[in-house]
Amino acid sequence: MAKAAPRTVLITGCSSGIGLCMAVQLARDPGRRFHVIATMRDLRKKDKLEAAAGDTLNQTLTIQRLDVCSDESVAECVNSLPEKQLDVLVNNAGVGLIGPLETISIDTMKHIFETNFFGAIRMIKAVLPAMKQRQKGHIVVISSVMGLQGIPFNDVYAASKFAIEGFCESLAVQLLKFNIFISLVEPGPINTEFEMKLMEEVAKSQFPGVDATTVHSFKDIYLPASHEIFTTMGQSPEFVAKAVVNIIAKERPPFRYQTNPLYTPLVALKYADTSGELSVSAYYNLLFRFTRLFYISTSFLKCITCRCFRRQITPT
């Protein structure tokens, strides 16, 4: 029986984090089932990926420039594919943003949407005609649990993820007619250098013009709580990447996949009460009224998830 040709996988945002880990894991697949096109906006940042790729570089992994915010860049990259053929598109490129709403300009908000929402749509529009023609394809979008549940001081970022979730949920129904699948991967907190640096930087900010209550809530309540959540529930980029690799390898991939089972009960609050009161009041009470209970809860999670007491959970 002839061996199947490797599937071509294009990944955006591969200079670091999840994108880099996904590209390397797929390129190192023991069965050599994939050829990876790892892309990034700035090729001056490719050194880390090249080092991690090792002997897979220019074998099962190639690196290309791609700016998801540019129509021209997207077209150039997609047109460079042999016969414009792509089996799997992984929309990973994204940017984060936290802070009091009053300090965020409309231009900054537009930038977040340009990357997280319109960037993904640009890529999907570029590859969809060929996938439809071939009656085959898989589109993966790295979303977030914040595409399902809003979190304080993440207003704009959550909005961009809510938008891409709604877009994909609508499109997925149409694409089944063409045997094209969409998968929304929804990680919780991910421990990356970028996240830690972002929180350190905003902690030093003064936020002039913002009322004292909001500044106190953000700097003295939200940021310490966020750090606690990342410490307790945060996953590594390698872990999330492995979950995505497993989804890509499935013959019938799921539409939604949350990588962190510890976060699922928090998201479930939203769907347990259609009025929305349960999730909103629960978050408010834990964060602002019963803060001590919040830290007791995270300490309990640390205990029950300690490797001394449980088997390591791995994506399947």
Side-chain angles (χ1 to χ4, degrees), residues 10-311:
L10 188 150
I11 308 172
T12 65
C14 292
S15 62
S16 63
I18 300 172
L20 184 150
C21 294
M22 279 190 291
V24 172
Q25 289 185 27
L26 285 166
R28 293 191 178 280
D29 178 67
R32 297 174 70 90
R33 293 173 294 172
F34 310 102
H35 174 71
V36 181
I37 301 171
T39 71
M40 60 188 69
R41 183 172 58 87
D42 187 354
L43 287 178
R44 291 174 297 182
K45 298 180 178 180
K46 67 179 180 178
D47 292 354
K48 190 175 179 181
L49 174 57
E50 287 181 333
D55 58 6
T56 68
L57 188 63
N58 298 322
Q59 297 297 320
T60 55
L61 182 147
T62 57
I63 300 175
Q64 290 193 32
R65 182 186 178 277
L66 171 60
D67 181 359
V68 299
C69 296
S70 165
D71 292 336
E72 294 76 15
S73 180
V74 169
E76 182 181 353
C77 183
V78 172
N79 289 336
S80 71
L81 300 174
E83 301 180 3
K84 298 184 182 180
Q85 182 173 317
L86 184 67
D87 298 293
V88 184
L89 166 66
V90 183
N91 287 296
N92 170 70
V95 287
L97 181 69
I98 59 173
L101 183 64
E102 298 92 325
T103 67
I104 304 171
S105 69
I106 295 297
D107 284 342
T108 299
M109 296 181 192
K110 288 180 178 179
H111 172 66
I112 297 299
F113 269 80
E114 188 63 44
T115 303
N116 295 357
F117 180 64
F118 290 109
I121 292 177
R122 271 192 192 88
M123 293 303 305
I124 293 171
K125 286 188 67 177
V127 305
L128 207 50
M131 285 186 174
K132 282 184 173 181
Q133 187 175 14
R134 295 175 58 226
Q135 298 272 300
K136 187 178 182 181
H138 187 192
I139 297 167
V140 180
V141 176
I142 307 302
S143 180
S144 167
V145 291
M146 275 192 262
L148 300 172
Q149 173 68 59
I151 302 294
F153 298 108
N154 287 268
D155 325 78
V156 179
Y157 176 77
S160 71
K161 292 301 184 180
F162 264 76
I164 198 64
E165 290 262 343
F167 173 84
C168 289
E169 193 166 296
S170 301
L171 188 62
V173 178
Q174 306 170 43
L175 295 188
L176 285 179
K177 190 175 185 66
F178 297 92
N179 195 37
I180 300 170
F181 298 95
I182 293 181
S183 295
L184 285 162
V185 180
E186 299 156 340
I190 303 171
N191 292 317
T192 64
E193 294 178 9
F194 172 80
E195 292 285 353
M196 297 302 108
K197 185 177 180 181
L198 178 62
M199 285 196 284
E200 288 174 4
E201 288 177 352
V202 296
K204 299 174 184 176
S205 302
Q206 298 303 313
F207 306 115
V210 181
D211 63 277
T213 300
T214 299
V215 173
H216 168 70
S217 295
F218 178 63
K219 296 184 72 171
D220 300 327
I221 299 177
Y222 168 77
L223 285 178
S226 182
H227 184 270
E228 182 74 7
I229 288 173
F230 271 82
T231 302
T232 304
M233 305 171 68
Q235 295 178 315
S236 69
E238 291 81 5
F239 186 97
V240 177
K242 183 178 179 182
V244 179
V245 170
N246 288 340
I247 288 170
I248 290 173
K250 290 182 181 294
E251 184 176 342
R252 180 88 182 195
F255 174 63
R256 278 196 170 96
Y257 183 82
Q258 292 180 29
T259 68
N260 196 330
L262 293 177
Y263 211 95
T264 302
L266 299 177
V267 174
L269 289 175
K270 179 176 180 177
Y271 299 96
D273 173 19
T274 56
S275 75
E277 179 63 26
L278 179 60
S279 62
V280 171
S281 60
Y283 272 90
Y284 175 79
N285 287 330
L286 275 176
L287 197 57
F288 298 114
R289 293 187 63 197
F290 307 119
T291 309
R292 182 174 175 79
L293 177 60
F294 166 79
Y295 284 100
I296 290 173
S297 300
T298 55
S299 295
F300 175 70
L301 282 174
K302 284 180 183 177
C303 179
I304 65 173
T305 58
C306 175
R307 291 182 180 179
C308 299
F309 298 100
R310 69 178 179 94
R311 293 184 301 169

